[in-house]
Amino acid sequence: MKILMVSMPSLHFFRWTSQLQDSGHEVYWFDITGAGAKADRINWVHQIVDCRLKYDYPGRYLLKSKMPTMYNRLQQFNEKDVAIEFEKQLLAIQPDVVHSFAMQLSCMPILSVMQGYPRLKWIYSSWGSDMFYFEALGMKEFQFKEVLKRVNYLITDCYRDFEIAKKNEYSNEFLGVFPGNGGIVCRESDILPVSQRKLILIKGYNDSIGKGMNIVKALTTDILIILKDFKIVVFGSSEEVQDYVYRNEKFKNVDIKVYLKTNFIDNNSLMKLMGESLIYIGNSISDGLPNALIEAMGMGAFPIQSNPGNVTEELINDKYNGLLIQDPLDITEISNHIKDVLFDTDLVEKAFHYNTRLIKENYDRKKIKNDIIKCYESVF
């Protein structure tokens, strides 16, 4: 079977696609961003990555990294129409199925083309805030429903989003709930016992959706005194979070390290940090079921996580195997959750054993690989 993947270049997409290696399917990737760089990690895939640029001028990557505003202005004149370029590839490849990852990025731009080929099978994988926060992401309700009307098969990363799809008139086949990255591998040698864990791990995204700033602000109440023997690591941080930490006098005598999201931590290193962490904290006003949360729980870190649209409670039973942040803007709530964990060793120990077993049984990459391949076979 010929499968044409449509996605931005991302770690989750590459890891999902890797599950199809040696499956017998012929896989193509149309890079919807037109980034122009092939991905070595999926070098067995036919990659269409540079068809959107009219001219790949010298110094383009440097301009993109150093002067993004000017780069984006130039790209308005330097990019071809994505729908036209996608249709050219569609006609050349003649795929059996098209698989789009994320609605706004990879469904909306090609919707008009897919509507012109109503018999061509189309899979849509919902990621993160696709369903729950679509209007705030800039999608109109009628566009959202038009995509759901045309899509033949739906994959989500949580049950909440399948319910949202049904409420928005999706009536075609549901292929199931899968982690967006196609599953995880937890190396048991990297999973420290609770008694040896002296690290607090924080996801530092801070934008219109991510609220990492509220986590680090929660630390400045009276918790830093309790954490004097701990190391704190903030990863995927926005610049304002880094500035707040390094300019705040309260953090001067604290062992804290902040990694900007531009200073990428590879997945193996992040998983190792999770295996050393007593607590993992993630906070946002919208998300699907976060891959980082699944990984942290699998590596034994006690999870404190926001619960937008009640999605996180699909995995966390509050006060049993984790704590749910009900108001991601409430710094006091986050602070109290951290203190509750630090003073309840029995809760942490029980959650450690429960979560590592839960994740291994439900999110193991080898097991999920077979399920993913079966999904494609059922479509074919």
Side-chain angles (χ1 to χ4, degrees), residues 24 37 40 63 111 113 121 134 144 197 236 296 309 351 358:
D40 290 338
L63 181 65
L111 174 60
V113 177
K121 296 176 180 178
F134 73 89
F144 182 75
R197 292 173 177 249
L358 174 72

Side-chain angles (χ1 to χ4, degrees), residues 2 4 6 28 30 48 51 82-98 110 112-114 116-118 120:
K2 287 184 180 179
L4 175 55
V6 183
Y28 296 78
F30 181 81
I48 306 148
C51 63
V82 65
I84 293 173
E85 296 307 311
F86 173 74
E87 186 169 19
K88 287 179 183 177
Q89 298 299 326
L90 194 71
L91 294 172
I93 296 166
Q94 294 288 308
D96 297 293
V97 62
V98 174
I110 65 170
S112 61
V113 177
M114 295 302 294
Y117 300 87
L120 177 58

Side-chain angles (χ1 to χ4, degrees), residues 152-166:
N152 306 104
Y153 305 91
L154 173 66
I155 296 171
T156 64
D157 60 17
C158 59
Y159 288 102
R160 178 204 66 188
D161 287 353
F162 177 46
E163 295 301 319
I164 292 174
K166 288 192 294 183

Side-chain angles (χ1 to χ4, degrees), residues 10 25 32 41 57 68 70 79 84 91-92 117 119 142 152-153 168 171 254 258-259 273 315 318-319 325 355 374:
S10 75
H25 299 300
I32 197 73
R41 68 180 70 215
Y57 50 88
M70 180 179 290
E79 284 191 358
I84 293 173
L91 294 172
Y117 300 87
R119 298 184 65 182
F142 78 90
N152 306 104
Y153 305 91
N168 284 276
S171 59
V254 177
V258 180
Y259 294 92
L273 284 173
L315 191 57
D318 194 29
K319 300 177 183 176
I325 301 169
N355 287 339
K374 286 177 182 177

Side-chain angles (χ1 to χ4, degrees), residues 116-154:
Y117 300 87
R119 298 184 65 182
L120 177 58
K121 296 176 180 178
W122 193 11
I123 305 171
Y124 156 50
S125 281
S126 169
W127 278 358
S129 298
D130 266 10
M131 294 279 188
F132 182 68
Y133 213 57
F134 73 89
E135 290 178 314
L137 292 174
M139 291 182 276
K140 304 295 185 183
E141 184 178 2
F142 78 90
Q143 295 174 315
F144 182 75
K145 289 184 175 180
E146 281 295 301
V147 170
L148 292 179
K149 181 180 177 181
R150 172 59 186 87
V151 165
N152 306 104
Y153 305 91
L154 173 66

Side-chain angles (χ1 to χ4, degrees), residues 51-86:
C51 63
R52 289 185 63 185
L53 293 177
K54 295 177 182 177
Y55 179 57
D56 192 8
Y57 50 88
R60 184 172 68 85
Y61 287 106
L62 181 63
L63 181 65
K64 184 178 181 180
S65 63
K66 300 296 183 182
M67 304 178 70
T69 302
M70 180 179 290
Y71 175 82
N72 290 333
R73 288 176 182 170
L74 288 174
Q75 286 303 95
Q76 294 177 12
F77 304 98
N78 193 41
E79 284 191 358
K80 303 173 186 177
D81 185 278
V82 65
I84 293 173
E85 296 307 311
F86 173 74

